[in-house]
Amino acid sequence: MNKLLLILPLLLPLYGAILCLFFWFRPRAQKIVSLLAQLGLVSASLYLLLHVNSAGIIKTQIGSWPAPFGITLVADLFSCLMVLSSSIIGLALIVYSLQGLDGARQRFGYYPLVLLLQLGIGGACLTGDLFNLFVWFELLLICCFVLISLGGTKAQLEGAIKYVTINIIASSILLMGIGVVYGTLGSLNMAELASLVRMPETDTSLVSMAGMFFLLAFGIKSAVFPLFFWLPASYHTPPIAISAFIGGLITKVGVYALVRTFTLIFAINLELSLPLIMLIAGFTMVIGVLGAAAQKDFRKILSFHIVSQIGYMVMGLAIYTPLALAGSIFFIIHNILVKTNLFLISGVVAQRHGSFGLKKLGGVYLLQPVLALLFVLSAFSLAGIPPFSGFWGKFMLAKAGFDAQDYTIVATSLAVSLFTIFSMTKIWNEVFWKKKPAEAGVENTTHEMEPESAAARTTRRLMYVPVIFLTLLILYIGLYAEQLISLSGRAAEQLLNHELYIHVVLSK
Amino acid sequence: MLIVVLLGFILAFAAPLLHRVAGKYTYVPMALAALAAFVYFCSCLPAILEGALITQTQAWVPSLAINLDFYLDGLSLLFALLISGFGTLIMVYAGGYLKGDPLLGRFYLYLMLFMVAMLGVVTAGNIFSLFVFWELTSLSSYMLIGFKHQKEESRNAALQALLITGGGGLALMAGLLLLGNASGSYSFTELLNRGEMVRAHALYLPALVLICIGAFTKSAQFPFHFWLPNAMAAPTPVSAYLHSATMVKAGIYLLARLTPVMGGTDVWQYTLMLVGGSTTVLGAFLAVQHTDLKAILAYTTISALGMLVTMTGIGSAPALEAMVVFLLAHALYKGTLFMVAGNVDHATGTREINKLQGLGKKMLPTALAGALAALSMAGVLPFFGFIGKELLYEAALEESTTRTAMFAVTFFSGLIFVAVALVVGYRIFWRKTGRQTPLEHGNTPLLYLPPLMLSGLGLLLGLIPAMLATPILRRAAEAMLGEEQVFELSLWHGFNMVLFISLLTLLLGYLLYRFTDRLHALVPRLSRIYRFGPGTLFYKAVKALPDAAGVLTRSIQTGYLRNYITIIILTLLGFLAYALIPNSPSLELADRLPLIMNIRVYEFVLILLIMAALYMLHNSKSRLTSIAILGIIGYSVAVFFILFGAPDIAATQLLIETLTVVLFVLVLHKLPSFHNLTSIQTKIKYIMVSLLFGGTMTYVLLLVKQFPLDSRLKEYFGQASYLQGQGRNIVNVILVDFRAMDTLGEITVLAVAAIGILALFKLQLDKEEKP
């Protein structure tokens, strides 16, 4: 039973992708297959979460080779939450892409790529083996690279080159780190490593040095300061469906890996690593939000905000109390949903008005009131205004920070959230409230007057579906926050209870 | 109360739909809803007046101890009645004021949302449910200030208000968290009994400062006052309701509510008196300098808010008594005056007092309401404002340490209030100089009835205070004092000092009014000072922020990949140094040095080869040579693999190197021509970074090799691969069986890469689409 539960979130996207490849010349069939696979993935992930929630951490050994020799798949609440939220985003994205992405890209493997990307995320979140983790990150890297460059426009290629170069460096550094860990401790199984590092005879200084490789590698993957360069350079170049997906998810997988390794394996010499992580968190928030303040493009503002918000997630790790980690987990889930949704909204706006530039946009408030409402809800969630979802994450982190007497980081995080409000209102002001600038005079007005064709209207309606779906989810976790908060709380407790993890994995 | 709040929210979001159906009659269901809330709170009156306390508990986020608790005592009920009662009138008034506006539905959405949120603030029984509602009021205020969203002025004002109150909200959140930590509870029922514990706690001072910032920003206290006059960009119903009568009093409510917990200390008293006092003076001082009706009213509102804060700060029984009375009186007359100003604006199209005269006859009901409210504002017998003013003087005079200052503040603002009341209630309607201002259209009953009712109430409360106002005001003051209080309100106190001062205020205020026009002539000379005012500074900061942020961002995000890579490498080195320097295990090279002797000749040759190749690489003048040299290095590495007994890895390496060189050569002709643009300095920089990186990695490897690797894996794989995996080649069995999952992943990577290559070759949208 465990075996099937754990393997399904990997098999479904894999088989879906393979089937899609068989239907290479029939995009319509690919749409159906990927939609079905995606629906299956959501239900499988949901079921996995429910199961783990009631039965505790579960594991399985691939090929039945016992741990620590074979590869382990483990699911605890944190990984289940990650898998579930990414599959939900995947579903929303596929529905959006049905109409929101150009046919040319859909014909060149978009659907199998999206599915394989989720295989990568699922694998990275469920694996219990360090080298296997590296492999899934490789898969993520190549999928993102291909998706970013898919279409081959000049901007895309420029972004893709930066993306792939920096991320390959990250991968090599990760590999070096894994090498050092293996060279020192002689194992790759995360549970065994966790128990080995806590043995009295282990030289912890070498392990914490190895941790630095991981910190740097996952730091690049999750785009923290001063390693985030690839993100603002590449995220705004591909079509919105793709940047929404990558922007919403990929960095969080980096954070996931960071949290996982630093609570399980490198949870020694914490007095050394936590201040460093704290510093990174603070600077990431500040630099990211300032970067966003400087932008004049809907998507670029959102991209820089990803960086800023990674800071919050890392902050929870740096405080390192159950509440703080719960805050991080909540924040990750919230951010995945909200950020993707904002990207999608920018896409809907651009589809109707033909631009992402704040200078060229305007008047959406009057033209599309429903969209305006959807944007406001997401934007204020992102800015952490209560009672929307972002508030709860911010609240937990601030409270945890105060409890641990880390006053500086709390002050920083609160100040940063003011700047977040600033950026969100900037979008609101320019895109929604402002009159649409009469660019090139007459030509523009005739364009606006032009009635939408019936086909265009269905397109637009279909693009609203995922946005409304995600907004409802965001509202749900904001207004009825208890459920996700207590889940995150228990997930955090599991993270800090390494004995339990070790026991589950290493016992027969 | 929970049901009131929930229904209110639902109704708010139904407003746009209602507007489609009901059109210009949308105000009817909205006003009825507000009235229902008012009636509901009235029904709570008897119990509260008997001294009871009504609480409700509803779990919301129990994991964080944040619950939707409600806590209704005299203070809350006073505010709740004010909000819902005034709300009813405003809903009606807005129906007249914004008749025919296509966005009326959305207006009611925000207004209703605000009303409910505000009711939530004053009835919340948990500091964080209070905070949630608090932020919702900021949000709805933002939407309402920016209601005329196509005007840049409105948008800027809305943004400013949101940033100031939002920033204050964040301070408040931090303050409440600290308060929670100091008291161990978020619930008012417990918190209000833990005053001593809180005041003695180390976190008291930071919590107090932060909460005060929250309250001061919301209630427009100096130096955060400047958002309020700008917020007048909102339609007048909003100014009357949010920005004079209710929302700006949320800060006052919070301070009053927390008086039993945090009040009474020196810091509390002096902070509140200082900030409140200076706000009172500043607001009054600025009020007489303006000629825009709404601006004048806004600045007097600031002044009044300052007065309320001051009284809360004094904290004595008479002061708190004065505070609640003045609060009610001010809400009644200021709300009226705003509506009067709105009616004038609506009818004539201007709010400039110099352009307005002789409107009295044409707008009789409005003029009457204005007169009644102005009399109350000036503090004339027998209006409720008079009682308020008397009590303020009494409280100021009873203060022991700062009596003179407090009295001066009260007196000064009193003077100005009289002058302003004359301008608003008399000058624009009845002064007979010049010609009458023409009316564009008259006022409908929807516009003049609400202010009439409100100002009439001001008179009624003044005439019979004991019946209507005293009981609830007494309970409100008791909630702040935390003890039973004898409380008598009457119009006539006999001929005493305070009455004399009141009369003097009226007289001097009248004189001041006579000089209004001359005062206005002096205003331009002051403008130089205002350049350094907090409002201007804020404006400059907001303007400068994107540019400054842009400079910073461009200095980090340079766009050059080589810079990024350098920074990443240096960061890694920094991290490693950080981890290794304090507690590195010592590197024992002594017993390793002899190993160098064992190096074989061909190994030396390979090293020399690589060294030479590296040197040439740095001096190469064309791509082709560079690639060829890189090939040499790659092959040498492959030979090393062979020498160290890993032929399969060596084979892979050879294949990869060959492929890379071939691929490079294939695409070479597509690349732009090769230019060596890097200067010597840059080259040296990069060589240094590379050397540092290489050195560190060597050091790390030596460290790791120093410890013997004892792994169970080797042994297990050795044994199991043939017996269980059925394969003689251990590496193969590892790849396809023990760690098949890795291989699956890598195969997938290759498949994706293949798709990517295909897409890159075949799909080039730049060339297909028009540019």
Side-chain angles (χ1 to χ4, degrees):
Chain A
M1 183 61 189
N2 282 359
K3 206 160 247 179
L4 190 65
L5 271 181
L6 274 164
I7 205 84
L8 265 184
L10 307 183
L11 280 190
L12 282 168
L14 181 64
Y15 284 165
I18 293 173
L19 264 178
C20 281
L21 289 182
F22 279 125
F23 292 120
W24 184 259
F25 293 107
R26 293 167 61 193
R28 187 180 285 271
Q30 286 190 36
K31 286 179 186 177
I32 295 167
V33 169
S34 55
L35 206 55
L36 287 178
Q38 200 65 54
L39 279 171
L41 184 58
V42 172
S43 7
S45 319
L46 187 63
Y47 194 74
L48 180 67
L49 176 68
L50 293 176
H51 182 73
V52 171
N53 192 25
S54 59
I57 303 178
I58 58 167
K59 72 128 187 182
T60 182
Q61 290 297 126
I62 298 294
S64 297
W65 296 108
F69 310 110
I71 289 173
T72 314
L73 292 185
V74 205
D76 66 355
L77 281 173
F78 186 21
S79 42
C80 291
L81 281 170
M82 288 296 295
V83 173
L84 178 62
S85 46
S86 73
S87 68
I88 287 173
I89 292 301
L91 181 63
L93 253 302
I94 295 227
V95 175
Y96 180 89
S97 311
L98 296 179
Q99 293 294 335
L101 189 72
D102 52 299
R105 287 191 175 88
Q106 295 195 22
R107 280 195 303 279
F108 275 89
Y110 171 75
Y111 291 105
L113 285 171
V114 167
L115 287 171
L116 289 176
L117 190 62
Q118 291 184 76
L119 168 66
I121 295 171
C125 295
L126 292 175
T127 188
D129 185 282
L130 222 43
F131 187 79
N132 197 234
L133 183 68
F134 167 79
V135 172
W136 296 125
F137 267 104
E138 287 293 286
L139 181 57
L140 288 181
L141 188 155
I142 191 81
C143 283
C144 288
F145 170 66
V146 175
L147 278 173
I148 290 176
S149 65
L150 191 64
T153 63
K154 203 177 164 209
Q156 278 185 297
L157 290 183
E158 196 190 333
I161 290 291
K162 285 176 184 159
Y163 174 86
V164 80
T165 317
I166 295 180
N167 274 281
I168 283 182
I169 295 178
S171 291
S172 350
I173 291 170
L174 179 60
L175 198 56
M176 288 179 205
I178 294 173
V180 174
V181 168
Y182 182 74
T184 338
L185 299 169
S187 178
L188 289 171
N189 184 290
M190 284 155 65
E192 196 187 29
L193 288 172
S195 73
L196 283 176
V197 294
R198 291 174 174 86
M199 300 274 183
E201 66 270 19
T202 305
D203 188 328
T204 55
S205 63
L206 276 187
V207 178
S208 56
M209 180 197 76
M212 291 299 141
F213 286 95
F214 284 81
L215 182 58
L216 193 103
F218 292 140
I220 295 179
K221 300 275 181 195
S222 52
V224 298
F225 178 83
L227 309 163
F228 60 73
F229 311 108
W230 58 272
L231 192 153
S234 61
Y235 269 17
H236 62 278
T237 55
I240 203 70
I242 294 173
S243 48
F245 197 35
I246 303 180
L249 277 175
I250 299 310
T251 46
K252 282 74 176 181
V253 185
V255 181
Y256 167 85
L258 202 60
V259 171
R260 174 68 70 201
T261 46
F262 274 82
T263 48
L264 193 61
I265 302 169
F266 305 112
I268 39 140
N269 288 350
L270 281 175
E271 66 287 351
L272 189 79
S273 48
L274 290 189
L276 185 62
I277 297 177
M278 186 75 88
L279 204 66
I280 293 174
F283 273 102
T284 308
M285 286 177 203
V286 174
I287 302 292
V289 90
L290 288 179
Q295 304 304 316
K296 296 185 181 67
D297 178 289
F298 203 154
R299 271 197 297 180
K300 283 188 186 170
I301 294 181
L302 294 178
S303 297
F304 265 102
H305 264 294
I306 298 177
V307 175
S308 175
Q309 259 125 14
I310 295 294
Y312 285 87
M313 303 167 199
V314 178
M315 167 181 165
L317 176 63
I319 299 171
Y320 214 82
T321 59
L323 182 62
L325 284 169
S328 279
I329 295 170
F330 186 94
F331 208 99
I332 292 174
I333 308 298
H334 138 81
N335 205 256
I336 288 178
L337 298 175
V338 171
K339 189 46 67 82
T340 313
N341 203 23
L342 284 171
F343 267 110
L344 289 186
I345 290 171
S346 81
V348 178
V349 170
Q351 191 256 349
R352 182 92 162 86
H353 301 266
S355 175
F356 289 102
L358 295 187
K359 279 225 171 87
K360 291 183 186 164
L361 290 168
V364 181
Y365 182 66
L366 286 178
L367 275 174
Q368 288 148 290
V370 177
L371 190 64
L373 178 69
L374 294 170
F375 173 80
V376 163
L377 293 175
S378 297
F380 284 129
S381 288
L382 189 78
I385 289 181
F388 304 116
S389 55
F391 167 69
W392 302 108
K394 195 171 75 177
F395 179 88
M396 285 196 270
L397 290 172
K399 173 149 176 55
F402 275 143
D403 290 347
Q405 307 196 327
D406 291 320
Y407 296 114
T408 323
I409 192 78
V410 177
T412 315
S413 74
L414 292 183
V416 165
S417 81
L418 185 63
F419 285 99
T420 313
I421 300 180
F422 176 75
S423 306
M424 288 300 118
T425 47
K426 185 161 144 185
I427 298 179
W428 174 252
N429 261 344
E430 299 286 324
V431 177
F432 291 86
W433 265 357
K434 187 184 69 184
K435 243 185 196 165
K436 187 164 186 172
E439 181 194 13
V442 194
E443 189 193 347
N444 195 15
T445 41
T446 50
H447 174 73
E448 244 177 274
M449 291 301 153
E450 205 172 284
E452 268 181 313
S453 66
R457 201 171 302 134
T458 11
T459 305
R460 198 156 51 86
R461 294 226 171 113
L462 201 62
M463 285 166 79
Y464 270 82
V465 171
V467 178
I468 292 173
F469 168 64
L470 289 179
T471 310
L472 287 178
L473 265 181
I474 294 165
L475 280 181
Y476 174 75
I477 63 170
L479 298 179
Y480 191 64
E482 173 62 20
Q483 212 162 30
L484 186 56
I485 289 178
S486 69
L487 253 182
S488 321
R490 273 176 291 139
E493 272 161 31
Q494 283 182 352
L495 279 180
L496 290 175
N497 188 351
H498 59 269
E499 310 250 315
L500 187 69
Y501 186 98
I502 296 170
H503 175 78
V504 169
V505 173
L506 294 184
S507 65
K508 296 282 163 173
Chain B
M1 275 170 272
L2 179 68
I3 295 169
V4 173
V5 169
L6 290 182
L7 283 180
F9 281 136
I10 294 170
L11 188 66
F13 282 95
L17 300 176
L18 265 177
H19 181 236
R20 279 194 196 171
V21 184
K24 65 176 179 173
Y25 296 109
T26 318
Y27 74 90
V28 179
M30 289 302 174
L32 283 178
L35 187 66
F38 182 70
V39 170
Y40 170 78
F41 284 111
C42 281
S43 74
C44 300
L45 257 175
I48 299 291
L49 290 187
E50 277 170 27
L53 177 70
I54 302 177
T55 55
Q56 278 179 17
T57 302
Q58 170 65 44
W60 187 16
V61 188
S63 320
L64 300 176
I66 298 179
N67 293 316
L68 272 179
D69 294 346
F70 291 93
Y71 182 95
L72 198 70
D73 63 356
L75 184 67
S76 323
L77 187 61
L78 173 66
F79 273 90
L81 286 172
L82 187 66
I83 294 159
S84 54
F86 202 154
T88 313
L89 294 179
I90 279 295
M91 296 287 172
V92 175
Y93 182 74
Y97 194 85
L98 289 171
K99 196 169 74 182
D101 194 307
L103 295 183
L104 189 62
R106 286 185 220 183
F107 181 81
Y108 273 118
L109 190 171
Y110 305 139
L111 201 61
M112 195 50 146
L113 193 66
F114 166 76
M115 192 183 92
V116 178
M118 194 64 211
L119 284 173
V121 168
V122 297
T123 55
N126 180 297
I127 48 178
F128 279 100
S129 62
L130 182 147
F131 178 73
V132 169
F133 290 122
W134 176 285
E135 293 288 87
L136 276 179
T137 61
S138 296
L139 214 61
S140 40
S141 156
Y142 170 72
M143 289 298 186
L144 286 167
I145 298 174
F147 185 68
K148 296 170 194 162
H149 58 92
Q150 296 193 325
K151 286 188 188 163
E152 197 181 352
E153 182 203 351
S154 299
R155 293 199 299 268
N156 288 343
L159 178 63
Q160 191 182 50
L162 184 71
L163 288 182
I164 298 289
T165 52
L170 292 166
L172 177 65
M173 175 176 153
L176 292 178
L177 273 170
L178 292 178
L179 177 64
N181 280 4
S183 68
S185 172
Y186 291 159
S187 164
F188 277 126
T189 36
E190 288 162 18
L191 203 60
L192 290 175
N193 296 320
R194 295 187 187 171
E196 280 179 31
M197 185 176 153
V198 170
R199 286 190 293 269
H201 202 279
L203 291 176
Y204 171 71
L205 190 62
L208 177 65
V209 171
L210 290 166
I211 291 176
C212 278
I213 292 178
F216 292 163
T217 48
K218 196 85 167 177
S219 289
Q221 299 295 297
F222 177 80
F224 309 112
H225 63 278
F226 52 90
W227 68 266
L228 187 59
N230 293 335
M232 296 299 138
T236 305
V238 176
S239 312
Y241 190 40
L242 273 74
H243 303 126
S244 87
T246 54
M247 187 185 89
V248 287
K249 295 204 170 105
I252 313 284
Y253 170 78
L254 183 70
L255 293 175
R257 171 55 68 223
L258 290 176
T259 298
V261 188
M262 310 190 85
T265 59
D266 279 354
V267 200
W268 168 277
Q269 282 194 319
Y270 288 116
T271 313
L272 262 58
M273 283 199 275
L274 185 69
V275 174
S278 47
T279 311
T280 314
V281 173
L282 184 79
F285 176 69
L286 289 169
V288 280
Q289 298 177 16
H290 284 266
T291 54
D292 177 354
L293 266 183
K294 278 177 85 174
I296 298 174
L297 291 175
Y299 281 110
T300 50
T301 304
I302 292 177
S303 181
L305 292 168
M307 188 50 86
L308 291 169
V309 170
T310 315
M311 288 299 143
T312 315
I314 295 176
S316 63
L320 295 181
E321 215 175 277
M323 187 259 191
V324 287
V325 174
F326 183 59
L327 179 113
L328 182 58
H330 173 258
L332 294 179
Y333 70 67
K334 193 54 70 60
T336 310
L337 289 178
F338 264 110
M339 288 193 261
V340 167
N343 286 354
V344 169
D345 188 14
H346 205 264
T348 63
T350 180
R351 301 193 305 240
E352 282 295 310
I353 55 170
N354 293 326
K355 291 185 190 160
L356 294 167
Q357 39 217 342
L359 293 170
K361 278 188 192 148
K362 294 181 197 160
M363 306 176 63
L364 199 57
T366 303
L368 181 63
L372 291 177
L375 287 171
S376 188
M377 180 178 185
V380 176
L381 213 73
F383 288 87
F384 197 53
F386 171 75
I387 306 182
K389 189 121 290 181
E390 296 257 293
L391 287 173
L392 289 181
Y393 280 130
E394 264 177 42
L397 289 173
E398 274 183 33
E399 227 293 312
S400 50
T401 45
T402 53
R403 181 186 338 186
T404 329
M406 286 301 105
F407 176 72
V409 165
T410 320
F411 190 69
F412 179 70
S413 73
L415 283 186
I416 302 230
F417 275 33
V418 173
V420 168
L422 280 166
V423 169
V424 187
Y426 170 76
R427 178 177 156 143
I428 58 173
F429 291 111
W430 306 109
R431 195 169 72 153
K432 287 180 184 130
T433 49
R435 65 187 188 91
Q436 292 181 347
T437 314
L439 253 59
E440 287 170 9
H441 51 81
N443 285 153
T444 56
L446 283 187
L447 286 176
Y448 63 71
L449 280 180
L452 260 182
M453 287 173 69
L454 212 53
S455 56
L457 196 62
L459 179 62
L460 202 63
L461 287 182
L463 289 173
I464 39 171
M467 263 179 70
L468 293 175
T470 316
I472 177 73
L473 290 177
R474 174 185 153 209
R475 290 296 171 193
E478 274 172 11
M480 285 186 272
L481 281 162
E483 57 192 41
E484 289 272 313
Q485 196 61 34
V486 188
F487 194 104
E488 287 286 324
L489 288 185
S490 58
L491 266 181
W492 190 246
H493 289 264
F495 289 100
N496 57 11
M497 177 73 174
V498 172
L499 182 69
F500 169 69
I501 299 172
S502 282
L503 292 176
L504 191 67
T505 318
L506 283 177
L507 195 68
L508 289 178
Y510 176 69
L511 282 179
L512 185 67
Y513 162 70
R514 299 294 305 220
F515 286 102
T516 318
D517 286 333
R518 268 182 237 176
L519 270 175
H520 288 157
L522 294 176
V523 172
R525 297 197 191 167
L526 288 170
S527 62
R528 209 175 294 163
I529 306 176
Y530 299 149
R531 258 188 271 163
F532 302 100
T536 324
L537 293 181
F538 177 87
Y539 179 75
K540 279 184 186 159
V542 169
K543 279 271 169 218
L545 174 73
D547 296 334
V551 172
L552 177 76
T553 309
R554 276 188 296 278
S555 72
I556 298 171
Q557 193 79 16
T558 48
Y560 292 112
L561 197 50
R562 55 176 182 275
N563 290 355
Y564 300 162
I565 295 173
T566 318
I567 293 176
I568 288 171
I569 297 293
L570 289 177
T571 312
L572 175 65
L573 296 179
F575 282 7
L576 288 174
Y578 174 78
L580 282 176
I581 287 172
N583 54 355
S584 167
S586 56
L587 190 58
E588 276 136 30
L589 283 177
D591 46 333
R592 307 210 133 223
L593 277 177
L595 290 178
I596 292 184
M597 295 296 123
N598 293 348
I599 293 179
R600 285 160 291 186
V601 181
Y602 32 89
E603 290 173 15
F604 259 122
V605 175
L606 279 175
I607 291 172
L608 283 176
L609 199 61
I610 291 178
M611 293 292 211
L614 278 176
Y615 178 76
M616 283 167 66
L617 186 63
H618 278 283
N619 288 316
S620 79
K621 296 263 183 311
S622 82
R623 277 210 181 80
L624 197 59
T625 13
S626 301
I627 291 158
I629 295 168
L630 277 176
I632 296 178
I633 297 175
Y635 285 130
S636 316
V637 173
V639 178
F640 268 120
F641 286 142
I642 299 177
L643 290 178
F644 287 96
D648 36 5
I649 301 179
T652 321
Q653 172 81 7
L654 282 174
L655 278 175
I656 288 173
E657 285 303 328
T658 317
L659 267 179
T660 318
V661 174
V662 171
L663 281 178
F664 253 122
V665 173
L666 276 180
V667 296
L668 204 58
H669 67 279
K670 288 216 168 195
L671 297 172
S673 62
F674 188 84
H675 294 290
N676 202 337
L677 294 174
T678 38
S679 63
I680 293 290
Q681 285 94 333
T682 345
K683 260 191 185 171
I684 292 177
K685 191 178 91 188
Y686 290 132
I687 292 175
M688 293 303 285
V689 172
S690 310
L691 282 177
L692 212 56
F693 182 64
T696 316
M697 292 327 284
T698 317
Y699 178 76
V700 167
L701 273 184
L702 285 174
L703 264 186
V704 173
K705 285 300 284 181
Q706 200 165 301
F707 295 88
L709 173 65
D710 105 78
S711 172
R712 294 192 282 157
L713 296 186
K714 262 187 201 167
E715 193 190 338
Y716 178 86
F717 287 149
Q719 284 173 356
S721 69
Y722 186 63
L723 295 177
Q724 289 170 280
Q726 316 287 325
R728 289 175 199 278
N729 184 330
I730 299 178
V731 175
N732 282 358
V733 180
I734 291 177
L735 286 180
V736 301
D737 205 339
F738 294 125
R739 302 192 63 93
M741 190 80 159
D742 291 342
T743 315
L744 174 74
E746 293 295 355
I747 293 171
T748 321
V749 170
L750 290 181
V752 173
I755 297 177
I757 292 167
L758 182 71
L760 272 181
F761 272 113
K762 289 213 165 171
L763 185 64
Q764 285 160 341
L765 292 175
D766 271 350
K767 289 174 191 162
E768 289 167 23
E769 289 166 8
K770 46 191 175 178

